[in-house]
Amino acid sequence: MTKDSAIKALLFDVFGTVVDWRGGVARHVGPFLGRRNMAVDATEFADAWRREYSPAMEEIRSGRRSFVRLDVLHKENLVKVLRSFGIDIDSVTADELDELNLAWHRLDPWPDSVEGLLRLKRQFIIAPLSNGNIRLMVDMAKRAALPWDAILGAEVVRAYKPSPQVYADTTDILGFSPAEVCMVAAHNGDLAAARQCGLKTAFVLRPVEHGPGQQSDLRAEQSWDYEAADLNDLATQLGCPT
């Protein structure tokens, strides 16, 4: 497939699409759980923490709460999850909480991510369109060698996906029309919201984002502009050389 000459920029969902949040969070919280002799599986803890993600953002999307960056929401959610697992929050120091919260800054890329992004970067502007805040995205990019051209997303426009404002304002910041921008995500809902704002769409399959028993986003649920097995496959479809 040849390059779509209309596309000038690719915007990427990050958590789950570019990096393995579940494995990274579990790796980071495992030692903390071990020190407390807790019979809690680290991936179970990661899943519980992630389940608080969307409800916390919905408070902001709905207007019930003013915008705060994702690091703040993650830390508040961490306290909730610690309590739900029976941990006395008063026994956890502020430094421990801050260190645990940095798990989201230290996630590993999927095996194809860096190579695929480098190929795509040669022909397109590439940037995250993530709910993660700027510092989080920068720390992650430095650690994982993610070669972004810019850091964009929720904190820049002060709104959370899938609010239309996120896609529209980010496209405007880049100076392109929506048809010149392609949203890349492993989540059908993210792509549906982007398409409604006029962006082109690329579905990337990540069948173990939620572990081996994943039941969601195992296939493209609409006729997206592109459907790829991974980021290298997307680069090939878009005509990027190896």
Side-chain angles (χ1 to χ4, degrees):
M1 186 179 292
T2 58
K3 174 184 174 182
D4 185 335
S5 60
I7 296 175
K8 308 299 182 187
L10 302 173
L11 298 174
F12 293 79
D13 171 71
V14 177
F15 298 118
T17 301
V18 177
V19 299
D20 173 14
W21 62 264
R22 188 174 191 259
V25 170
R27 181 190 66 248
H28 200 71
V29 302
F32 170 84
L33 297 172
R35 287 194 300 272
R36 290 174 176 265
N37 297 314
M38 293 190 63
V40 176
D41 182 80
T43 55
E44 181 183 347
F45 189 97
D47 289 339
W49 198 353
R50 180 69 173 186
R51 282 195 294 272
E52 300 292 338
Y53 176 78
S54 186
M57 290 186 296
E58 183 57 29
E59 289 297 300
I60 293 168
R61 287 192 293 256
S62 68
R64 291 188 293 269
R65 181 179 185 181
S66 299
F67 182 86
V68 295
R69 63 178 59 96
L70 188 60
D71 272 344
V72 173
L73 297 181
H74 272 158
K75 190 171 180 180
E76 292 173 354
N77 294 341
L78 172 60
V79 171
K80 291 180 184 178
V81 173
L82 288 169
R83 286 178 172 146
S84 74
F85 280 99
I87 297 174
D88 178 7
I89 198 64
D90 292 332
S91 70
V92 183
T93 68
D95 286 345
E96 282 183 303
L97 282 176
D98 288 339
E99 178 63 23
L100 284 172
N101 209 38
L102 286 174
W104 297 94
H105 294 230
R106 298 168 178 169
L107 307 180
D108 293 333
W110 296 113
D112 58 278
S113 289
V114 174
E115 181 183 1
L117 288 174
L118 285 169
R119 290 177 62 194
L120 292 162
K121 179 184 174 78
R122 296 188 191 111
Q123 297 198 40
F124 304 98
I125 293 172
I126 64 169
L129 180 51
S130 172
N131 284 327
N133 48 281
I134 296 169
R135 167 72 187 279
L136 191 164
M137 288 291 112
V138 170
D139 284 352
M140 185 191 298
K142 282 184 159 303
R143 181 184 178 279
L146 304 176
W148 305 123
D149 291 311
I151 302 293
L152 301 173
E155 190 175 14
V156 178
V157 302
R158 301 187 70 76
Y160 284 113
K161 296 187 297 179
S163 300
Q165 175 190 347
V166 182
Y167 308 95
D169 287 3
T170 301
T171 301
D172 182 64
I173 287 168
L174 284 171
F176 294 126
S177 69
E180 294 176 307
V181 178
C182 181
M183 183 71 204
V184 182
H187 311 118
N188 286 280
D190 201 348
L191 296 179
R195 173 175 276 178
Q196 288 177 349
C197 293
L199 280 69
K200 293 190 175 176
T201 52
F203 177 78
V204 177
L205 179 64
R206 297 300 189 194
V208 293
E209 174 191 353
H210 296 279
Q214 180 167 321
Q215 298 181 354
S216 61
D217 293 310
L218 294 174
R219 61 180 178 84
E221 295 174 1
Q222 295 187 35
S223 297
W224 307 121
D225 295 292
Y226 298 91
E227 182 179 348
D230 58 28
L231 293 186
N232 269 315
D233 182 26
L234 180 62
T236 298
Q237 292 187 43
L238 288 170
C240 300
T242 56

